[in-house]
Amino acid sequence: MRTCTKCGVEKQGSAFFNSRRTRDGLRSACKPCTTAQSLIWQRSHKDKVKEYDRRSHARNPVRRAEVMRACRLKRKYGLTRASYADMVAAQAGACAICWRVRKLYVDHDHATGFTRGLLCQDCNIALGLARDNPAILRAAADYVEIPLPPHGG
């Protein structure tokens, strides 16, 4: 147990970030206080934060893209990199509708947020344009199967 120097509350050691600078290996302020202090600093030093980010991204743009994609998957769909990789493997790396092996996008039900599978961009757009409505999709399939009359000339 130790007392946070910011809020004055006594807390378990796990409530403090690690620090190499202190004898006991823990920061003097608890995690919530440290996070709040960090946010205040970042908001008041936006130029420094932007410059640091710019240099960091320039050093390793591929890593930055991977991290951003992982964050987006987690935030929008609740998927980890491992769960996304499992979905790709389950579909053999192919679109769940047309089975072409292409770049895959997460398909989800906009009403429930439930993730259905992975689709190529064309199939994902087609579902979106049909407003995920099975009746529209069935009508489109029926329409495509209507035989065309011979062309007169």
Side-chain angles (χ1 to χ4, degrees), residues 26-97:
L26 299 173
R27 285 185 162 210
S28 59
C30 65
K31 288 179 181 179
C33 291
T34 301
T35 301
Q37 184 178 359
S38 176
L39 287 174
I40 291 168
W41 185 90
Q42 288 174 22
R43 288 182 184 137
S44 64
H45 295 86
K46 288 181 181 178
D47 292 340
K48 286 184 180 183
V49 172
K50 282 183 183 178
E51 179 60 22
Y52 173 81
D53 286 347
R54 188 190 63 72
R55 280 186 275 127
S56 176
H57 302 165
R59 278 193 305 270
N60 198 343
V62 174
R63 170 81 173 123
R64 171 69 177 170
E66 290 172 0
V67 168
M68 292 305 294
R69 179 162 170 73
C71 290
R72 194 170 31 258
L73 282 172
K74 187 68 172 175
R75 184 181 68 250
K76 286 183 79 172
Y77 310 110
L79 297 174
T80 62
R81 287 186 204 189
S83 59
Y84 178 83
D86 291 345
M87 291 174 74
V88 171
Q91 291 181 203
C95 173
I97 293 176

Side-chain angles (χ1 to χ4, degrees), residues 95 97-100 102 119-128:
C95 173
I97 293 176
C98 68
W99 291 103
R100 290 184 290 177
R102 301 174 79 188
L119 303 178
C120 68
Q121 186 174 21
D122 294 344
C123 292
N124 199 19
I125 289 171
L127 278 184

